[in-house]
Each structure stands twice: as C-alpha cells, then as structure tokens.
C-alpha cells in the first residue's frame, strides 16, 4: 500500500463534509491510499456524550470512506485541543505505518499553519503567553496576542477552530518527532458549530436537528443514514444530554471538593466553583454556566464536569495512549492491521477482553472507558439497551 493516511475525528455524526474530506484526501495522493481514523469514543471533546455510540459511528465511517477506525481513549477524548491532538497523533504514530496526516482547516493552506505551529513552539513563546494572561484575558485571546508579537497578522488564523486544531496536530508531529507528512484540506460548507447550506451542514447543527426529531438524511451519506436508522430502530440512539443528565448530576453531587480539585485543568478556584455549582444547580448546563469565569471557555468547564462524572483525573492524558483498540475495519483496514502488527510500538487490541490481561496501565484505562460506556448506555431510549458490560464484549465491526 503506497499511502496510509491518518485522520483525527469524532464523526458526531458522520456527514457529507466528512465524506468530502476523505475523498479530497485520496484525490491529493497518487497510488493506493488507505485511511485510518482515530475517533473519540462515547464522550467527545466538547464535554458531552456522542449522539450515537462509538460502535455505530465507527461502522458508519468505514462504510463511507475510512478503512480502519481506532478509538481515542477517554482521557484524551475529554482533553484540551492540545491533549486531544497529542493523543490522537501519537496513536497514529504508534501504528508505525501511517505516512500522512490529513486534517481540515479554514485556511486550507499548509505553510502558514506550519509557521504558526513553529511560532507557538519557539523559545520564549510560553513567557509571552504568560505575560498576556496576566492582563486577565482568556487563554485563546492571550495566545493570539503572544503570536501577533512574532508573526503579526498571521496570528488571525488562531481565531478559527479548525485552524487551531490543525496547529495542534502539527505541534504533535513536531513534538513526537514523527515522519508523518501533513496535508490540509480547506473546510467546505458549514463552519464549526455553525449553520450550513445545501448538502453540507455542521455536526452541531445536525445534532440539534436529530434532537428535534428532524430527518437529516439529505446531509449524511446513505450508508451512514442506514447505520444510524438501525441504531434508532433498536433503541440504542440517539443519546441526548437530557437522558444522561440525572446519572451525571447524581455522580457530581456525590463528590467532595478534593475530587473536583484533582480534575484536569482545575486551578484558580475552578474545582471549588464546579463543586459548589454541582450541589446547587438543577441541570448539567447550568452547573457549567455557574462555574464559568471570564478567563475560561465554557467548553473547558464542560470537559472538567464530564471528567468528574467519569473518573478522569489530572495526569491521565499525559503522553500518548498505551494501546490501540480497533473499532471497525474493512478489507483494506485489515491489510493495514497486518502491516502494523510488526511495526506498532504499542499493543493492538482487537478483542477487548484481552485488555484484562494486559499491563496494569492498559487494563486501568480500558476499565475506565468501559465504565464510561456503562453510563453512556443509560441514555438509550429502550431500557433493554441499558445493560452494563457491553464494552468488554463488543468485538470490532469487520466489513
């Protein structure tokens, strides 16, 4: 196989924009190209449950352009953009066979993104960032101010969410000293969390429409629509925040300040503020809003709250994941796995039960992810689908 391209995704849900990205990636490369997606599990980086389970989303992805889907373990899925990117790119590097990394960006132009990534990693930048933070502005604003000192107007690229993730992917390649070559594809149609038009809509808009009971089939590939329709017919989805909320709030209210202060990102009183809000506010959204401050984005508070509910502690997402769990693959994906068997730097797990006999670190992380799945299925519309333990029993979907 001439090229094996990695992509980092949530596919929440898989839509026409994702299919376009995969098609454009293949069009950019000559020869046979396989695509590996590192995908968030049942909980995603915005600090909420995915609309459909990781198994359904992985199946949809393989039926719509990916060849192999592997899971980004829970601590990295609920990490900051930096931790999320570092963990995902690290997993692609650990496979030992990935030649390229393809990502969408509002810029669509790689050299300026590379220049910004190198700027952020340059000596002295962290001090410039600290100086900007001393003014009381948010992290995002401080980072842009610090970058403007060095690259001028180019720093405006940091205003766009997919550009920001692109820069984090590039940083991860540099920090991990990987030989993976980056490719960026201009993001088409709807912007992140925005309202789109014609055949491409943002995943955020599609989730809103799903929650409102609307048909979204015109904006997602036919094969993905069939997978998600089967999930709904079986009562396994969609999974909504309102369905999960009682379980999440119950967990949050059983915890003391010490737990909240041990969360990723808990500093400057954030842990205490979140603990207080969890014991006073009636909804998950109002808990996060009450704990928010001018300094920190709401998404960070949501991730902290979800980490608290799921048992993710500070330090769990340090480094890169110690194993590769396969969620779905087609024939090409199985060939990639065969190639990776001799080159992967961490164990490749196709039978989840094997995680119980792996290293303590792997077993602990897989148990954490399995417990999160047990909470996740409590949001299933049909009660029979709320049974525990399925994450340990679910084999990869092989097409």
């Amino acid at each position: 196989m001439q090229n094996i391209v990695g992509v980092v995704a949530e596919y929440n849900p898989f839509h026409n924009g994702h299919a376009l990205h995969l098609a454009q990636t293949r069009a950019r490369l000559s020869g046979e190209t396989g695509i590996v997606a590192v995908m968030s599990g049942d909980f995603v980086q915005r600090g909420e449950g995915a609309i459909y389970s990781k198994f359904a989303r992985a199946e949809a992805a393989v039926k719509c352009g990916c060849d192999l889907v592997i899971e980004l373990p829970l601590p990295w899925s609920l990490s900051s953009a930096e931790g999320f990117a570092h963990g995902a790119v690290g997993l692609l590097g650990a496979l030992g066979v990935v030649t390229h990394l393809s990502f969408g960006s509002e810029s669509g132009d790689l050299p300026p993104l590379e220049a910004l990534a190198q700027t952020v990693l340059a000596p002295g930048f962290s001090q410039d960032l600290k100086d900007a933070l001393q003014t009381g502005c948010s992290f995002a604003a401080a980072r842009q101010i610090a970058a403007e000192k060095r690259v001028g107007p180019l720093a405006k690229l940091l205003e766009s969410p997919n550009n920001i993730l692109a820069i984090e992917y590039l940083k991860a390649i540099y920090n991990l000293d990987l030989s993976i070559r980056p490719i960026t594809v201009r993001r088409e149609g709807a912007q992140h969390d925005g309202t789109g038009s014609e055949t491409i809509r943002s995943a955020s808009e599609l989730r809103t429409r799903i929650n409102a009971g609307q048909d979204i089939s015109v904006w997602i590939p036919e094969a993905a629509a069939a997978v998600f329709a089967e999930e709904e017919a079986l009562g396994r989805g969609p999974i909504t925040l309102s369905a999960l909320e009682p379980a999440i709030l119950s967990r949050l209210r059983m915890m003391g300040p010490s737990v909240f202060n041990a969360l990723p990102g808990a500093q400057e009183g954030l842990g205490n503020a979140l603990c207080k809000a969890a014991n006073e506010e009636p909804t998950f959204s109002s808990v996060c809003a009450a704990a928010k401050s001018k300094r920190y984005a709401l998404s960070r508070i949501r991730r902290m709250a979800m980490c608290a509910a799921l048992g993710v502690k500070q330090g769990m997402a340090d480094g890169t994941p110690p194993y590769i769990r396969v969620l779905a693959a087609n024939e090409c994906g199985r060939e990639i796995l065969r190639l990776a068997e001799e080159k992967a730097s961490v164990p490749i797990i196709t039978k989840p039960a094997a995680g119980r006999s792996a290293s303590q670190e792997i077993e602990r992380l897989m148990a954490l992810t399995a417990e999160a799945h047990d909470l996740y299925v409590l949001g299933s519309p049909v009660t029979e689908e709320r049974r525990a333990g399925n994450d340990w029993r679910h084999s990869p979907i092989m097409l």
Side-chain angles (χ1 to χ4, degrees), residues 222-287:
E222 185 176 347
V227 171
F228 300 145
E230 182 178 11
E231 286 294 289
E232 294 184 16
L234 293 172
R236 294 199 289 248
I239 304 294
T240 65
L241 178 59
S242 60
L244 291 174
E245 195 167 61
I248 293 171
L249 289 177
S250 175
R251 288 196 176 192
L252 294 180
R253 290 176 180 177
M254 294 171 68
M255 299 170 184
S258 62
V259 175
F260 285 95
N261 286 314
L263 292 172
Q267 58 193 52
E268 297 181 351
L270 269 183
N272 289 330
L274 189 56
C275 181
K276 182 175 184 290
N279 285 282
E280 294 179 353
E281 297 295 328
T283 68
F284 182 76
S285 295
S286 62
V287 166

